[in-house]
């Protein structure tokens, strides 16, 4: 499946699940802008404020090595709305 720049996608990797806007991909990398790690809390699913415990808060971009990606899929509508709310602060 091909994605357009800006499509909200879910990347399932060996390190976890991430949601972000598709930016670019090549033979060895897949790039998301405004990436967020998906986390589980007592209240349910949510987004971390970064992509790594020791990483910067709210990074603007994240590159995955294609060898670490299990699969990429378009994000469902409810999660896309929650993602837009988390990244923009606006309720969709």
């Amino acid at each position: 499946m091909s994605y357009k720049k800006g499509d909200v996608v879910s990347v399932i990797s060996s390190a976890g699940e991430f949601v972000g806007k598709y930016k670019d991909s090549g033979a060895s990398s897949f790039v998301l802008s405004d990436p967020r790690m998906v986390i589980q809390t007592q209240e349910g699913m949510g987004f971390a404020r970064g992509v790594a415990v020791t990483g910067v808060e709210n990074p603007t971009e994240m590159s995955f090595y294609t060898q670490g990606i299990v699969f990429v899929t378009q994000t469902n509508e409810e999660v896309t709305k929650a993602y837009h709310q988390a990244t923009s602060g606006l309720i969709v």
Side-chain angles (χ1 to χ4, degrees), residues 7-92:
D7 284 350
V8 177
V9 297
S10 297
V11 175
I12 291 61
S13 76
S14 54
E17 186 169 347
F18 303 85
V19 175
K21 296 177 201 157
Y22 172 74
K23 182 175 181 182
D24 193 21
S25 61
S28 62
S29 66
F30 191 92
V31 183
L32 294 180
S33 59
D34 292 327
R36 296 293 183 272
M37 182 190 306
V38 177
I39 58 172
Q40 288 292 329
T41 68
Q42 289 179 334
E43 293 80 33
M45 187 188 83
F47 297 104
R49 295 184 61 113
V51 295
V53 174
T54 59
V56 298
E57 188 174 312
N58 300 326
T60 58
E61 189 173 286
M62 180 178 183
S63 295
F64 295 86
Y65 292 108
T66 53
Q67 295 87 356
I69 295 175
V70 178
F71 64 90
V72 178
T73 185
Q74 196 146 14
T75 306
N76 77 51
E77 190 175 327
E78 285 185 42
V79 175
T80 298
K81 287 178 185 177
Y83 167 80
H84 284 301
Q85 183 177 344
T87 56
S88 70
L90 300 174
I91 297 175
V92 180

